[in-house]
Amino acid sequence: MITNNNSVVGFIGIGVMGNHMARHILKAGYTLYIHSRTRSKTRPLCREGAVWQESVAQLAKQCPVIITMVGYPTDVESIYMGPEGILENAQSGTVTMDMTTSRPDLAADLYEKGQKKGIHCLDAPVTGGDIGAENATLSIMVGGKRDHFKKVLPILKLMGKNIHHQGPASSGQHTKMANQIAIAAGMVAMCEALSYAKKTGLSPEKVIENIGQGAAGSWSLNNLAPRIIKHDFSPGFYVKHFIKDMGIALESARALGLKTPGLELAADLYAQLAAQGCENEGTQALYKLFQK
Amino acid sequence: MITNNNSVVGFIGIGVMGNHMARHILKAGYTLYIHSRTRSKTRPLCREGAVWQESVAQLAKQCPVIITMVGYPTDVESIYMGPEGILENAQSGTVTMDMTTSRPDLAADLYEKGQKKGIHCLDAPVTGGDIGAENATLSIMVGGKRDHFKKVLPILKLMGKNIHHQGPASSGQHTKMANQIAIAAGMVAMCEALSYAKKTGLSPEKVIENIGQGAAGSWSLNNLAPRIIKHDFSPGFYVKHFIKDMGIALESARALGLKTPGLELAADLYAQLAAQGCENEGTQALYKLFQK
């Protein structure tokens, strides 16, 4: 197989989101090298033409552009750092994009360490959930050097619609934290409103139709409340990942001396939800707490 | 002046919202009778052709359709009840629409009292703020008999786009309470997210552009955050009225045995804001609390 090296993209982390995102790159004609902790999850993509790589190091050596989309900042650290990591194995000139929602300070650290080896690290977390990933309508918020952002923009455009360079390294993650903070207390609001509507005997569907486009309108109300009404608590976005994100946001907000009582309330309620065994459900499962 | 009595509409309460709403009815060719506590506020409409009425009773006697849009449930009570009120003075067959955000139990009470006199009371609160009122894009949520709803629907359509009959009397107010509950903790979320973005040195405008259409997207973020960025705290919707609404919602939720920690937090924060002298500002002034 003859491949144009410039058209090779590496993708690490084929989960709920990564699976859809990687597929868009593959369908656009890129040679796609993939690696994931659980190989079985990569089989559908491999059947469609993606090339399995046994290790991060093996993938990193061959790909001028590498995307990572994993679960936790500790996963990001283990993929980028150490003798088997991206920074030790990728060629000079490689551009990496960590699309995981991760710690802003880690993004800044990866950028610094990468620069010493001529590897250009971008932080490029996304929002829009599984639907956004599937429909290639994700919002992507990017931190790092503008030149490197421009270089990978054609690839980002395969996965999202609303893509912005927000500033230097860590700016993408900070923007994502602002996003998660806006969602956090917003989820509480949506669940309370829906509980109230049901309890007063209204038709929740008709209520959403009536208030979803006005001042109470939100993505959560228009996209997650309908799932709740259908008793669909399957994960578009996992409770456990949202708890992780809120933890990062709380830490970051505290370090900045910011008051975030709404975020604290949401983090507390989600911790209660996880303690009840719902950590692998979708964030809309918060509604269950209001039914007790 | 010869008037077709069927084309006469009475409008009581020419405030921030009522002024725009009444104008749409006037412009559509209806004969508009108006009354308001502060006569000076009605002058622009009167110059455009509206007819000033000295009292509620005088207006009520002449109008087959009466709209009320005032501040507090106590105002609604005083306009509808008592010897000088609508119920005592309107003709049998009159349809009233209280578009004030008011107590659901009061809406049910007005409906019952009205029925005894052949007066058909609808509760029809709105959402969409001053912009929605001006552009005739309000959402209107209606409780009461469907037949009476259908009768006034052409008039409601002059003021809004998204108009639903939600069920029997009080269903409009209950829907509006669900709306306010969704807004309450949502405002906290939006203010915290914006504070975080500013504190981390990001461009708040660019952050909103990036996250406003994704999972964090909300009417508040897309419409009120830009006002905050411009230091515009003028009232589209007053802090004092939102506090009133949240009070009604809290009372109603408690009576239903619902947990609403997000609503409680928001009500507490807005009470702090009012105590600092901001009760006549717009609800987006909540942001100021996060700047201390």
Side-chain angles (χ1 to χ4, degrees), chain A residues 130-158:
Chain A
D130 56 342
I131 297 170
E134 188 163 7
N135 298 336
T137 56
L138 292 170
S139 294
I140 309 176
M141 36 214 75
V142 188
K145 279 233 177 98
R146 182 176 285 277
D147 283 354
H148 307 139
F149 165 72
K150 283 186 180 163
K151 196 171 167 186
V152 296
L153 188 56
I155 296 168
L156 292 173
K157 281 183 174 170
L158 299 172

Side-chain angles (χ1 to χ4, degrees), chain A residues 162 174 192 196 209 252 262, chain B residues 162 166 174 192 196 209 252 262:
Chain A
N162 187 350
H174 276 312
E192 288 180 3
Y196 182 91
E209 214 179 330
S252 191
Chain B
N162 187 349
Q166 289 287 351
H174 276 313
E192 288 180 3
Y196 182 91
E209 213 180 329
S252 192

Side-chain angles (χ1 to χ4, degrees), chain A residues 194 198 204-205 223-235 281-282 284-285 287-288 291:
Chain A
L194 194 58
K198 283 205 82 165
E205 291 89 347
N223 291 276
L224 297 180
R227 297 192 197 183
I228 293 170
I229 293 166
K230 290 179 204 146
H231 303 284
D232 172 8
F233 298 106
S234 61
E281 298 190 8
Q284 72 273 24
Y287 181 74
K288 294 180 180 181
Q291 301 313 295

Side-chain angles (χ1 to χ4, degrees), chain A residues 139-140 162 164-166 174 178-179 182 189 192-193 196 199 206 209-210 216-217 219 252 256 259-263 289, chain B residues 140 162 164-166 174 178-179 182 189 192-193 196 199 206 209-210 216-217 219 252 256 259-263 289:
Chain A
S139 294
I140 309 176
N162 187 350
H164 290 269
H165 179 248
Q166 289 287 351
H174 276 312
N179 186 79
E192 288 180 3
Y196 182 91
K199 196 87 174 185
K206 222 197 288 183
E209 214 179 330
N210 215 162
W219 189 94
S252 191
L256 293 160
K259 284 190 292 190
T260 52
L263 175 61
L289 275 194
Chain B
I140 309 176
N162 187 349
H164 290 269
H165 180 249
Q166 289 287 351
H174 276 313
N179 186 79
E192 288 180 3
Y196 182 91
K199 196 86 174 187
K206 222 197 289 184
E209 213 180 329
N210 214 161
W219 189 92
S252 192
L256 294 159
K259 285 190 293 189
T260 51
L263 175 61
L289 274 194

